[in-house]
Amino acid sequence: MHLSRREASEAVADLGWRYLLGNLRTCVPVPSMDRAAEVGAIAVDACGPRADAHLSVDLRPRRVVLTLRTAEVADLTRTDLDLARRVSAALERAGARTVADTGDGAGGAPRAVQMLEIAVDALRPERIRPFWKAVLGYVCEPGHDGPRDPLVDPLGQGPAVWFQQMEHPRPQRNRIHFDVCVPHDEARARLRAALGAGGVLVAEERAPAFWVLADAEGNEVCVTTWQNRD
């Protein structure tokens, strides 16, 4: 069943999960790689037979990043919401916690969980999409094999690449930009930090769906959230 972005976000926000680009994502602080492996095993066990089709686990010495998404439809479903609750409860019983902050408490810079996309602006996306698919070794998401659909890393390591329709040539601006999808409650802090680091606000008409920023030489990035998109 289709979930609105607001519904998905609010359903698990108190558990430390955040809704990002059709995914639920959270972080579990750990003191060691051994503990990270234990946390990953607890999460897999909590998901049971559904783990393969819904759960991704990134183990690091100071943190474990967990992501839930229904692979079959390449989107979030109510099953993922249920699994997030199960995982958080299981980890809490084991003395761990799911949080949105990826800071490790041991000298690592804190940052909210996020997802990165690369956007390519094109007059005819269908002409250039095969090139990017081949050169990156990327694939189509299940059920999304159209000439303008995003491309993803089959190993889940690199950022997705999507194609934005242009109506006219635009030689005065760059045509590839980053989209940094952050939790809705992190966006304005990220915006202030970027502007304080020498960034320029290019556009905010669609905020809080996204803000367009640029560095001092005009290279652009969008800070995006799920808000104002349903």
Side-chain angles (χ1 to χ4, degrees), residues 136-200:
L136 294 174
Y138 273 23
V139 297
C140 304
E141 291 183 304
H144 299 276
D145 194 18
R148 301 181 184 181
D149 283 332
L151 300 169
V152 296
D153 183 348
L155 300 183
Q157 295 176 321
V161 176
W162 67 283
F163 304 90
Q164 182 165 269
Q165 180 68 55
M166 292 174 56
E167 299 301 328
H168 306 285
R170 193 177 65 206
Q172 74 276 17
R173 290 172 57 194
N174 60 329
R175 290 172 56 178
I176 296 179
H177 68 270
F178 296 101
D179 282 349
V180 184
C181 184
V182 302
H184 64 284
D185 50 1
E186 164 71 11
R188 286 174 174 80
R190 187 68 62 87
L191 187 70
R192 289 193 297 270
L195 295 177
V200 176

Side-chain angles (χ1 to χ4, degrees), residues 8-18 88 98-99 185:
S9 176
E10 293 180 350
V12 295
D14 290 344
L15 299 177
W17 295 78
R18 292 295 183 269
S88 289
T98 49
V99 297
D185 50 1

Side-chain angles (χ1 to χ4, degrees), residues 15 27-31 35 38-40 42 64 66 87-99:
L15 299 177
C27 178
V28 184
V30 294
R35 181 56 171 163
E38 292 175 0
V39 164
I42 292 169
V64 178
L66 304 173
V87 169
S88 289
L91 288 170
E92 185 176 5
R93 290 193 295 269
R97 57 195 177 95
T98 49
V99 297

Side-chain angles (χ1 to χ4, degrees), residues 12-118:
V12 295
D14 290 344
L15 299 177
W17 295 78
R18 292 295 183 269
Y19 174 82
L20 302 168
L21 299 173
N23 298 261
L24 296 181
R25 179 163 287 188
T26 192
C27 178
V28 184
V30 294
S32 66
M33 199 67 185
D34 284 345
R35 181 56 171 163
E38 292 175 0
V39 164
I42 292 169
V44 171
D45 186 63
C47 292
R50 294 176 173 172
D52 287 352
H54 295 268
L55 178 67
S56 295
V57 182
D58 183 356
L59 304 178
R60 303 297 171 108
R62 298 298 178 187
R63 67 185 66 85
V64 178
V65 177
L66 304 173
T67 305
L68 285 166
R69 190 185 205 193
T70 301
E72 184 180 5
V73 296
D75 205 349
L76 197 69
T77 65
R78 293 190 183 277
T79 298
D80 301 300
L81 299 182
D82 178 62
L83 292 177
R85 299 184 189 101
R86 291 172 179 266
V87 169
S88 289
L91 288 170
E92 185 176 5
R93 290 193 295 269
R97 57 195 177 95
T98 49
V99 297
D101 186 349
T102 65
D104 56 33
R111 173 177 66 70
V113 291
Q114 67 180 30
M115 296 187 71
L116 179 65
E117 294 182 298
I118 297 175

